[in-house]
Each structure stands twice: as structure tokens, then as C-alpha cells.
Amino acid sequence: MFTPDKVITRLVIEREVSIQGHMRWVAHPENRKNRLLIVEHKKQLYALPLYCQHAHVSLLRAKVDHNGKVICPKHGLATDLKSNPGVFTVERQGNFFITANSSLIETQTVETCEQDVDQQTELEALKTVNSALQKKVLSNLESMDSMLSEVEHKKVELEENNRHLLSVNQLIDSITNTMEEFLVVTDNQGRITRVNPYAESILNIKAEELIGSSPDNFLRDETLTEIIERFPASNWDQRPYLYRAVYSNDGFEQEIRFRDPTGRHKEVSQKYFLLKGTLIYGRAGKEEGLILSATDISVVKAKEKQKRQADIEKHLQLLQSTLSTISQGVAMFSGIGDLQTFNDSFTNNINVDPDILAQIPAYEVLFSNNKEILDLQQIPPCQKLISDKHQWIQTFTDGRVIECESAPTPTGGFVVTTRDITQSQKNEEHIRLLSTTVEQSSSEVVITDTQGIIVYVNPMFTENTGYTAEEAIGKKSSIVQSGEMSADFYKELWSTIKASNRWKGEILNRKKSGEKFWQSMSVTPIFDNNGVISHYLSLKADITKQKRAEKRLRYQAEHDLLTNLPNRSILLHQLESSIVDARDNHKASAVLFMDLDNFKDVNDTLGHLSGDILLKLVARRLQQCSKPTDLVARLGGDEFAIVQNDIACLDDPKTLAEEIISSITRPFKVDDHLLHIGISIGITVLPTDGLDTGILLQNADMAMYEAKGISGSHYHFFDLELQKSIQQKRTIESHLHHAIEHNELNLLFQPKIDLQSNKIVGAEALLRWHSKELGHISPEVFIPIAERSGLIIKLGSWVLNKTLEHITAWANANIEVPKIAVNLSTIQLLDANLISDIKEALTTYHVPPNKLELEITETAAMSDPELSQAQLEAIKDIGVSIALDDFGTGYSSLSYLASLPVDRIKIDRSFVNDIQFSPQSKAIIESIIHLGIIMGKIVIAEGVEVKEQLALLQSLGCHEVQGYYISKPITADEFIHFLNNKE
């Protein structure tokens, strides 16, 4: 509390805001306009200027660290709340803050002198005028200062927006350059402006050769012709045909194969791609250009081809089986008249032996040029049969009369049916065969009059519907209607058959029992002798099982078969709906991306069957945590996702995530085991974090991996800081590719000495990187990035080859150098090509194997013990020595380490740092040295920085040392100089 003898100043509160859960206030002293920021630190309130005096940027949202320093968001300088003279403490009093800081109190001293009344009056008047002028000037100055402050603030915001725009462009470039999808961008005239590396590789051409050209150039002629026919050119539009197609159709999608866009007939990919086109619009709705993307669908096309072939074979078998049961002669021909298949009745009708028929399979030979047939002129030529139906009568020289009928097939060929109508028995035979076929047919046959009244049904009708012939005949055909087909359906059916056309489709009918069932149905008009429709013939087949199978297949395509949860396709569909709701109805939703922790351990220890049971139990708990309006999906493996719809605030997904973590971390009972697992959850919110499915899933995935980086089960919301961190890692990864190719990397060498002879016995090659754009990048930063991205193999190869190149150069200069050590990462050690790469490098540079040593960490050796053991033994067989780095920091067993074929054990620097102060560190080092001697290994200590450490290591019996006390890492030339001087 302020004491009564101090002058108290009140601060008027202008604004109250919450920043990261803590309250802050903007206030000004009474009768003054200078604005102050009031923050709370360790239960004490401090007042400081609202704007930074150096950058003139608002400190309202500035970070306050745990030491009580306010960090300027522009230049990063800190204002200490406790020691800065411009900061003072305040107390809250109702709607004001109060302070006893005298710097806020304006004091004025007015001197008076003894003057006469007239002079005093005049002086007072002048003072009044002067005071008014001063107030006006001060007011104007304050207004100008406020205007300048606002201008500077806007300038800072503009600079921040420009930096953000540059960051977004860099992110777009990084994504397009690394994505495994064909991507081409044009301007609004259709000229190509951007080509990603994947498109360059597919077209076998550099981007600069495509820039400015038309995308029509990489389309094959047949594809371009098809587009031109579908989207004819307008007189006013001179843009590429592909651009017009996208413009005309508000998007474009077509299966294509690329051609050489330069016309030089270079070989390009023979793969099939699904080409998609989308117009680009600017913020003002202006058309900016076109994005063309293509996805490799070659595998899908091959599978479709295989399926089509299998279907054809299946259909052919079914056709042969069906034809064999038909009494009519049936023969199928190709478009050029070649006989493809036929039944026995056909051979009987045309009186040709089947063996002979196989030798003369042409329509022209069998019909048009057959000398056994009279009046050949009435037989239609093959060319007419492929387009229209035909009927004709052919009379053979032996007196037989055959009725023939043809019809085109969908494949471009035609089918010919034949019936022997010789003499008077033709009608009786025909009726008998037809009656037998219909009565015994597996298809349901119904004949009605033109009003739909049933006049005939076959036994299959009764079997299918439950109605007997007596119950059905005389009734309307609608007795089997289910009532679920629309009025338009029946309207279209009747309009088709009344127009003398055949109708074919699927219908949902109802049995006498009330059971609904699906049927495939065809209705054909029957004409009388005058060509007028007299009846309708309906053929039906029960396809309920088929429809159920289709429904089951559709369900299987959209659901995870193990957990019965919706799969990724349903999740994406739901996410699209949520995006529409957010955009059109202003409804917010959240995406929770989840990955189980330690699930692999369950599979490895208890087997995949137990793992599957666990996944089912997890799915059930996730559904129990969710609302009916939420969508719970399994994306594959141990990854799940939830779309939480219509959230009111961020507390909704937060509450759901906490409930999920609480539920999943409870033990699961699988068989006789109680299993404990964790879950990591990434959360992104729409529309705040984006309105694109790909971006939202990517955001949630990034947030999930951030949560996974924290030990235990956690959730993490996506934010811009996370995006910036990942973008920075991607930038480093992108530049690392460039660094390997453009010689930005270099090697330094840190000498090792023998403690007994004080001679140099080796050196460790250490990788360094100084990027032209990013500056110096620490190995502790870029090595983990290289390991995660897979670049570590290429990076390790560079280090190995560069080291051997130096050794060869020194040998050629007659310089005798000791053994040089190169580090191997865990990924390199497990690489199947490691041994062959080492042999090839040694051969290429003519380096004896005993000049090279490979260093591995204890953790790397334990990542896959069996494979590591085999790899290390293979390295030893080459003649290369092995050192075990960071010894004592891992969790491996001594029995396993004793079996490893290593030559040196390197004591980790963390023990050496405290050797002269910590008895524990000294004891550990002494134990490691004794252990190394027992196992017959050379023991080397790294990180030796002072003389006392060196003396203690020597007294404990350590064999070799390296560290800054001996020499810091130095260049190759400096190392040779050091070597010569040491000798």
C-alpha cells in the first residue's frame, strides 16, 4: 500500500485484454494523454510505456519471460520490469490504478513580485493568454505524435505482412518442389509460368524450356483432338485448348498419356495420368491463370485392365453356358464378320459340322457366299449388321428353311440367331420350345395386355413373389409394386414401351409376404400381325443378393474392416461438408488427429492379433467419447481422426481431447493382459486454420507430432509458431540438398593423442555447414533433420568419400597420416548398401582399410542388435576398425557390448567434464577404463578441455584423448601443420 505522505496519481483504464491467460491493461494518467501498458508479473503490477521507444511497436502482446523482461516483438530487445527507470509499480483501486511515482506529477512554481495593481492585472492577462497558447501547442504536438505513432505502427504491420507473404511463397515453393505429383501453372493467357521438378522428370525436359509455352504441347494428338471436339474454339478466345476446356467446364479432368512437348521425340513416361485443371482467381475475383495437376494412375489402369479381362472371360463362360441351354441357333461375330462364339443349334441350323465351322469362321463364307443357300441377294451384308437389326429367311438347297435375325452388340459386332421353320411343324415346334423354355426358365416371365393386366406368369414368378398364377392373372402388374419407386420411374417406363421400344432397368418390388426384393427387369412390346402392340413381355431376375453384395462392397470401400469405423474417404467427405458449413453458415469445426503411443510394443510382444483386438477397443472408446454428430474414423495403422462439428469455442475440442486421453490411458484388458498405451492428439480448427482439406489434415498432423514430442499423452493445437518451426526445418532440409550438391559442406579434423607417447594416433572427421543464405548451421540442428528426411545416407556418403579423398591427397604428397575416424548414424548402420558403399569408396580412392575407422554410438548399436552385429562384423572383415562412441550414456547390456567387434571405446564428454570435481564421474571413468582393458579395447576420452582432466585420465590408465585442450577441430591444412609440429 502507498503511504499517505506520498502524492498519489490515478491511471484511467482505457482497455482490458487477456493475453495467453493473463490480464493486461492500457491506461493513461488523469489529465495526460501518454498511454501506459500495465502487466502482472509474480503477483506485482508494473506500468511501462505502451510503445517500444526504439521500434515504436506496440508491446500489448509482447512476451514477458520468467525473469520479468518484456521482449519487443520487432527487434527482440528486453525491458526489465524491476530495474528499468521507465517502469514503476501500480496498485488496482476500483476502476483505476494508482501510483506514487512522482515523475507523473506536473509541478509548476509561480513567482510573484510586488507590483502595482495595474501591472499585476496586465501580467495575469498575459499569463492567461500564454497558458492558452501553450495548451493549444501541446495539444497539436500530442496529435502529431499520435499520428506519427499510428503511421509507424502501420509501417511495422506492413513489414510484418510482407515477411509473412514471403514466408508463404517459400512454403508454396517448398511444397510444390517436393511433392510427388505433376504440377504446371499458367497465366491467364495459358502461358506456362511454373513447372515443378516432378513434372520435369515426367516430361524429360527442363522447366525453362516449358516456361512461356502452351500446355497443349504435352498432350498427345488423340487427346488434343478429343478436347477440341468437346470444347470448340470461340472466335474471341485464342488461348490453348486445354485452358478453354477448363474455363468452359469450370474445371477439367481426363485420363491422358504425355508426349514430348518439344517435338524432338525424346522418350517420355508411358504411364497413365489423371490430369486435372482448375482456374486460379485473385482476391478481387480476377482470373489469374490455371493450375494443371496430374496423378499417376498406371497401377489403377493396369488393375482395371486385369479386372476387365477377368470379367470378359467370366462373361464368355457365362455366355457359353447360357447359349448351350438355348434351343435357337446363336452365333456372335466381330465387327469385321469373324465368328467368335456359337452354340450347337447354330451348327445344326446351317448344317455345318463344328470342326469345319472352326476353319471357316467368316460371316461372308457362312451366309453371303454359301452355295448351299438359295437367293443370296436377300441376305444383308456384314457392314449393315453392325449398325441395325435385320431379319431374313434363307432357304437351303436341301429344302430346309431357316429364319435368321441379327442385332448389333455394344462391342461393335453383331449376333445372329437362327430358327428352323421348315414345313408345317415350324409353328408347333416354335411354340413348344418357347413354352418349355419359358416354363423352365430361371427368369421370371410375365405377359400383360396393353393396360398392364396380367395374362400369363411362369412358375418362376410364383417362386419369386409368392403369388400363384391364379392369384396374379387378371390383376394389374402393380400388385408387386413396393411403393418406393418414384412416379417418374414408372412414367419413363411406360413412355418407352408405348413408343414400341424395349425398356430395361432395376426395380424394387414386394412379395406377397411383404418382403421387398430387387429385380433386374426388361419389358418388350409384342406386336400383332398388323404391327400394333398387343401385349408386353416382362423378364425379371432376382438380384437382391447382388444388390446386397454391392452394398456390402460399398460399405467395405468406405469403412475400416477391422474397427468398422469410417475410413479416410468418408473423413474427407465429412471434412468437405464441414468446410461448406463453415463458409456458408459460419459454423466452426475441429479436426483431432490421433496416434497411439507404444502401440508397436503391443504388436511386437503379444502379436498382431492382440494388436487388432486393442485397436477395436480403442475405436469403441473413441466413439464413447464423441457425440453422434461427430465423425470418428480410422486412417490406418494406429492413426485415428475425429471431425467435431459445430463447436462453440476452443474449449470444445480441448474438452474432447482431455476426455479421450483420460479414456485411452485407462488399461485395456486383452486376453489375460492389462495393456497400457498412450495417445497423442493434434488439433486444428476451421475456419480459423484454413478451409482446405489437405491443409487442415496437414495442420492436425503437424500438431500431433508436436504433441508426440512431449513424453506422455498430450494434445496440441495447431498455431503459427508450430508452422514456422516446421517451415524452418523444411527450409533447412531444402538448403541441405543444395549444400551437398554445391560444395557448401566442409570437414574439420580433431586430433587424438596417445597418453603414453604423446603422439598423434588419429583424428576424427567432423562435418560443418555454412550456408550462403542461412549462415552457420550447427550439426545438432541439421543432422537430425537429415536423419528424418532420409538425407543422412547421402550426407554420410559425402563425408566418407571426402575423408578418403583427403587421405589419398596426403598419401600422394608423401605425408604419413594416422587413422581417420568417420561417424556413422543409426540409419547408415542399418542401410543394406553400407558394406558395398564402403568397399567401393576404399577402392575408388585407393585407401588401405587400416587408415579408416568408423564411429557408432551405443544407441545405434542397440537399435537392431542382430542387424547391427552383422553389419559391424562385415566392416571388420573389410579391415576397417570400429569405435563405440558416447559410451556409458546408453542402456545396452555389457554382454551385448562385449560381443560387438569394436576396437575402441570412447568415454562420453559428459563424464569427462566433471572428472576433477565429481567423485562419481571419476569412478565411472575408472570403471569404463578397467572394463575396456578387460575386454581388450583401447579406451579414449573425448571432451578434454583443461590440463587437470588430462592428468587425471592419464593417472587412471586411459589410453588416448581428444578435446580442445589438445586441439579444437581444424582444417585439413591446419591438421597437417599440427601433425608436423607435434612430431
Side-chain angles (χ1 to χ4, degrees):
M1 295 294 296
F2 298 119
T3 56
D5 58 335
K6 292 187 177 181
V7 179
I8 304 302
T9 300
R10 293 205 306 177
L11 306 179
V12 180
I13 298 175
E14 296 181 7
R15 184 180 175 192
E16 183 177 70
V17 295
S18 175
I19 307 297
Q20 297 178 348
H22 299 284
M23 299 305 301
R24 295 185 183 181
W25 299 265
V26 177
H28 66 269
E30 286 186 320
N31 302 323
R32 295 188 65 185
K33 296 299 183 181
N34 53 313
R35 301 169 76 189
L36 301 172
L37 172 65
I38 298 173
V39 300
E40 183 178 4
H41 178 66
K42 295 184 178 180
K43 299 184 178 180
Q44 177 64 58
L45 298 172
Y46 295 90
L48 68 158
L50 177 61
Y51 293 98
C52 175
Q53 61 180 348
H54 299 98
H56 202 76
V57 63
S58 173
L59 301 178
L60 180 61
R61 297 182 180 276
K63 179 181 179 182
V64 179
D65 65 15
H66 65 280
N67 293 322
K69 293 183 178 180
V70 181
I71 310 301
C72 177
K74 181 175 182 181
H75 53 53
L77 297 181
T79 300
D80 194 326
L81 294 175
K82 298 179 181 178
S83 61
N84 192 294
V87 181
F88 52 88
T89 59
V90 298
E91 289 186 1
R92 181 72 182 263
Q93 190 178 77
N95 294 328
F96 299 90
F97 287 96
I98 61 172
T99 180
N101 192 296
S102 60
S103 62
L104 296 177
I105 304 173
E106 294 182 0
T107 59
Q108 293 182 346
T109 304
V110 181
E111 296 182 0
T112 60
C113 59
E114 297 181 357
Q115 297 176 340
D116 57 37
V117 175
D118 293 337
Q119 291 176 339
Q120 184 67 29
T121 301
E122 183 178 356
L123 181 60
E124 291 295 331
L126 290 174
K127 286 183 177 180
T128 300
V129 173
N130 187 50
S131 175
L133 289 173
Q134 285 180 345
K135 289 181 179 179
K136 185 174 182 180
V137 170
L138 287 174
S139 176
N140 290 337
L141 289 175
E142 288 179 354
S143 297
M144 291 176 65
D145 182 63
S146 177
M147 291 173 61
L148 290 173
S149 173
E150 186 66 22
V151 169
E152 185 65 19
H153 185 64
K154 293 294 184 182
K155 178 182 177 183
V156 170
E157 289 183 347
L158 182 58
E159 291 174 351
E160 291 177 350
N161 290 338
N162 287 338
R163 285 195 297 272
H164 177 70
L165 182 59
L166 178 61
S167 174
V168 170
N169 285 333
Q170 290 174 346
L171 176 59
I172 292 174
D173 287 340
S174 175
I175 292 173
T176 57
N177 288 340
T178 56
M179 67 189 302
E180 288 293 323
E181 185 166 351
F182 181 99
L183 186 66
V184 169
V185 182
T186 76
D187 59 17
N188 58 11
Q189 295 302 310
R191 296 180 293 252
I192 295 176
T193 60
R194 175 179 290 183
V195 181
N196 75 337
Y198 184 78
E200 289 180 312
S201 66
I202 292 300
L203 296 176
N204 195 15
I205 190 173
K206 293 296 184 182
E208 52 265 24
E209 295 183 77
L210 281 177
I211 300 301
S213 65
S214 167
D216 289 351
N217 294 340
F218 53 67
L219 296 180
R220 290 176 177 255
D221 292 340
E222 62 270 23
T223 303
L224 192 58
T225 301
E226 182 181 349
I227 292 174
I228 293 172
E229 292 175 352
R230 289 170 56 195
F231 306 100
S234 303
N235 293 332
W236 55 270
D237 196 343
Q238 300 302 317
R239 294 175 295 187
Y241 289 103
L242 191 53
Y243 196 108
R244 300 174 195 170
V246 178
Y247 183 87
S248 302
N249 208 36
D250 195 22
F252 179 83
E253 185 174 300
Q254 184 162 328
E255 294 180 6
I256 69 164
R257 283 166 55 194
F258 291 108
R259 73 169 180 183
D260 175 20
T262 65
R264 293 178 296 206
H265 304 292
K266 293 189 301 181
E267 183 176 346
V268 297
S269 175
Q270 296 301 309
K271 296 180 178 179
Y272 282 91
F273 289 83
L274 182 62
L275 180 67
K276 297 181 181 180
T278 307
L279 291 174
I280 309 172
Y281 294 94
R283 289 187 176 180
K286 179 182 177 183
E287 183 183 329
E288 299 292 346
L290 175 68
I291 293 179
L292 295 171
S293 63
T295 304
D296 186 354
I297 59 171
S298 300
V299 175
V300 176
K301 294 287 288 185
K303 289 183 178 178
E304 288 177 352
K305 183 177 180 181
Q306 292 176 355
K307 185 177 184 301
R308 285 197 301 271
Q309 186 62 35
D311 289 342
I312 290 172
E313 294 175 359
K314 181 179 179 181
H315 291 156
L316 285 175
Q317 293 175 357
L318 180 61
L319 179 61
Q320 291 284 3
S321 175
T322 303
L323 290 178
S324 65
T325 64
I326 297 177
S327 59
Q328 291 180 328
V330 180
M332 296 186 67
F333 296 86
S334 69
I336 61 175
D338 289 339
L339 181 62
Q340 293 178 323
T341 187
F342 57 91
N343 63 355
D344 293 339
S345 298
F346 179 75
T347 62
N348 294 332
N349 286 341
I350 64 173
N351 197 24
V352 177
D353 187 89
D355 295 334
I356 299 176
L357 190 63
Q359 301 173 10
I360 51 170
Y363 169 81
E364 300 290 346
V365 176
L366 295 174
F367 292 93
S368 300
N369 299 330
N370 192 338
K371 295 180 180 180
E372 299 294 323
I373 301 176
L374 302 175
D375 195 10
L376 294 174
Q377 288 78 8
Q378 69 174 344
I379 299 177
C382 174
Q383 294 81 1
K384 289 187 176 181
L385 301 185
I386 62 177
S387 57
D388 299 303
K389 293 181 178 180
H390 291 273
Q391 291 180 335
W392 70 94
I393 302 293
Q394 58 186 29
T395 304
F396 285 83
T397 57
D398 60 3
R400 288 181 301 108
V401 180
I402 303 298
E403 184 181 54
C404 301
E405 184 176 355
S406 73
T409 60
T411 57
F414 59 93
V415 60
V416 175
T417 60
T418 61
R419 289 190 298 273
D420 189 341
I421 56 173
T422 307
Q423 300 178 353
S424 61
Q425 289 84 15
K426 68 173 184 175
N427 290 332
E428 294 179 7
E429 181 71 12
H430 174 70
I431 293 172
R432 185 183 65 80
L433 292 175
L434 177 61
S435 175
T436 303
T437 302
V438 172
E439 291 293 321
Q440 297 180 0
S441 174
S442 60
S443 297
E444 176 184 324
V445 179
V446 178
I447 299 177
T448 70
D449 63 15
T450 55
Q451 302 303 313
I453 303 299
I454 299 174
V455 298
Y456 171 83
V457 295
N458 72 339
M460 186 55 66
F461 172 85
T462 300
E463 183 176 337
N464 282 346
T465 67
Y467 290 100
T468 64
E470 291 76 14
E471 291 173 322
I473 294 175
K475 300 291 195 310
K476 280 268 190 181
S477 58
S478 59
I479 62 172
V480 294
Q481 289 182 7
S482 66
E484 296 196 15
M485 307 303 292
S486 67
D488 290 338
F489 172 85
Y490 291 106
K491 182 178 179 181
E492 190 269 336
L493 186 157
W494 280 101
S495 64
T496 299
I497 60 177
K498 284 182 177 181
S500 301
N501 296 317
R502 179 170 174 260
W503 182 93
K504 186 176 182 180
E506 295 179 352
I507 187 171
L508 182 62
N509 281 332
R510 186 190 304 270
K511 299 183 179 183
K512 182 179 179 180
S513 63
E515 178 188 351
K516 297 175 184 178
F517 68 114
W518 280 97
Q519 290 183 296
S520 65
M521 180 174 72
S522 66
V523 182
T524 306
I526 301 175
F527 302 92
D528 60 17
N529 293 333
N530 297 320
V532 178
I533 299 175
S534 61
H535 295 84
Y536 294 110
L537 171 65
S538 176
L539 301 178
K540 304 176 186 178
D542 190 341
I543 58 170
T544 304
K545 292 182 179 179
Q546 177 184 334
K547 298 291 285 186
R548 288 173 181 169
E550 290 175 356
K551 183 178 180 181
R552 184 167 60 252
L553 288 174
R554 185 165 55 252
Y555 180 86
Q556 292 173 350
E558 296 176 346
H559 288 76
D560 172 50
L561 299 183
L562 177 64
T563 63
N564 287 324
L565 292 177
N567 60 14
R568 182 180 290 271
S569 63
I570 298 299
L571 174 74
L572 293 176
H573 180 75
Q574 176 60 53
L575 201 50
E576 289 288 354
S577 299
S578 299
I579 290 172
V580 173
D581 253 358
R583 184 173 54 240
D584 299 342
N585 304 321
H586 308 291
K587 292 184 178 180
S589 301
V591 181
L592 286 76
F593 199 93
M594 294 163 284
D595 185 84
L596 301 181
D597 301 331
N598 305 323
F599 178 74
K600 183 177 181 297
D601 296 340
V602 176
N603 275 343
D604 292 344
T605 56
L606 300 181
H608 289 278
L609 181 60
S610 295
D612 289 346
I613 296 173
L614 179 59
L615 289 173
K616 291 180 182 179
L617 296 175
V618 169
R620 190 180 305 165
R621 290 192 186 179
L622 290 177
Q623 288 176 308
Q624 292 169 351
C625 294
S626 306
K627 297 183 297 184
T629 55
D630 299 337
L631 175 75
V632 183
R634 182 187 177 206
L635 305 183
D638 59 348
E639 290 185 344
F640 296 84
I642 294 178
V643 178
Q644 188 182 24
N645 291 308
D646 199 12
I647 62 173
C649 61
L650 291 181
D651 284 341
D652 289 350
K654 175 184 176 183
T655 301
L656 177 58
E658 291 172 347
E659 186 176 350
I660 289 172
I661 290 174
S662 175
S663 176
I664 299 301
T665 52
R666 294 200 310 269
F668 291 87
K669 191 175 189 311
V670 176
D671 296 331
D672 296 329
H673 303 280
L674 280 179
L675 303 181
H676 296 266
I677 60 171
I679 190 167
S680 299
I681 306 175
I683 307 172
T684 189
V685 178
L686 61 123
T688 307
D689 297 337
L691 285 173
D692 178 86
T693 54
I695 291 175
L696 289 169
L697 289 178
Q698 181 181 3
N699 292 347
D701 188 49
M702 287 190 292
M704 185 272 292
Y705 275 103
E706 190 71 11
K708 210 169 188 65
I710 310 171
S711 60
S713 297
H714 289 277
Y715 64 88
H716 194 281
F717 279 88
F718 171 81
D719 55 33
L720 291 179
E721 291 299 324
L722 174 60
Q723 187 178 26
K724 288 178 182 178
S725 172
I726 293 175
Q727 180 183 344
Q728 182 181 17
K729 292 176 182 177
R730 288 178 176 169
T731 300
I732 292 174
E733 179 184 339
S734 175
H735 281 75
L736 189 55
H737 280 278
H738 182 274
I740 297 172
E741 300 295 335
H742 294 81
N743 204 28
E744 284 187 358
L745 304 171
N746 67 293
L747 289 180
L748 298 181
F749 298 88
Q750 188 170 37
K752 306 175 183 178
I753 67 168
D754 183 275
L755 283 176
Q756 300 301 321
S757 63
N758 200 34
K759 290 184 178 180
I760 299 176
V761 292
E764 180 179 359
L766 300 171
L767 180 62
R768 296 294 183 264
W769 176 26
H770 186 86
S771 169
K772 293 180 181 178
E773 290 81 9
L774 306 178
H776 177 72
I777 311 295
S778 170
E780 295 179 354
V781 174
F782 72 80
I783 292 296
I785 293 175
E787 289 179 333
R788 284 194 299 270
S789 65
L791 269 176
I792 193 65
I793 300 294
K794 194 172 184 180
L795 200 62
S797 177
W798 186 93
V799 173
L800 176 62
N801 283 272
K802 197 68 176 177
T803 301
L804 297 179
E805 180 183 327
H806 279 297
I807 295 174
T808 300
W810 292 331
N812 292 338
N814 295 322
I815 301 173
E816 183 65 28
V817 294
K819 184 175 298 187
I820 305 298
V822 174
N823 288 283
L824 284 183
S825 73
T826 303
I827 297 174
Q828 287 177 275
L829 181 61
L830 302 181
D831 182 22
N833 299 319
L834 174 64
I835 306 304
S836 60
D837 289 346
I838 295 173
K839 290 180 179 178
E840 182 181 352
L842 290 170
T843 303
T844 300
Y845 292 99
H846 306 289
V847 173
N850 62 0
K851 288 293 184 180
L852 178 65
E853 182 169 82
L854 298 178
E855 291 191 6
I856 63 166
T857 63
E858 190 177 343
T859 305
M862 287 299 297
S863 59
D864 188 336
E866 292 184 4
L867 179 57
S868 298
Q869 180 93 16
Q871 292 281 72
L872 294 176
E873 289 176 352
I875 292 172
K876 286 291 292 182
D877 290 341
I878 297 173
V880 176
S881 62
I882 301 170
L884 191 62
D885 199 6
D886 298 341
F887 187 80
T889 60
Y891 300 95
S892 53
S893 67
L894 290 178
S895 61
Y896 174 68
L897 291 179
S899 67
L900 293 178
V902 299
D903 302 282
R904 280 179 171 77
I905 293 177
K906 296 189 73 173
I907 302 174
D908 188 68
R909 66 179 66 248
S910 60
F911 301 122
V912 177
N913 287 341
D914 299 330
I915 187 173
Q916 67 269 45
F917 308 112
S918 170
Q920 291 84 356
S921 295
K922 181 180 177 182
I924 291 172
I925 291 175
E926 187 173 9
S927 300
I928 293 174
I929 292 172
H930 286 306
L931 180 63
I933 293 172
I934 293 171
M935 292 192 299
K937 315 294 183 185
I938 297 173
V939 181
I940 177 172
E942 58 181 350
V944 178
E945 297 185 354
V946 294
K947 183 178 181 180
E948 291 77 10
Q949 294 172 344
L950 182 69
L952 277 170
L953 290 168
Q954 191 170 23
S955 67
L956 293 175
C958 186
H959 302 125
E960 300 173 359
V961 295
Q962 73 178 89
Y964 271 53
Y965 183 73
I966 310 302
S967 172
K968 66 179 183 179
I970 52 182
T971 66
D973 292 340
E974 290 172 337
F975 174 65
I976 296 303
H977 180 73
F978 183 88
L979 183 66
N980 292 334
N981 289 343
K982 191 71 175 177
E983 293 177 352

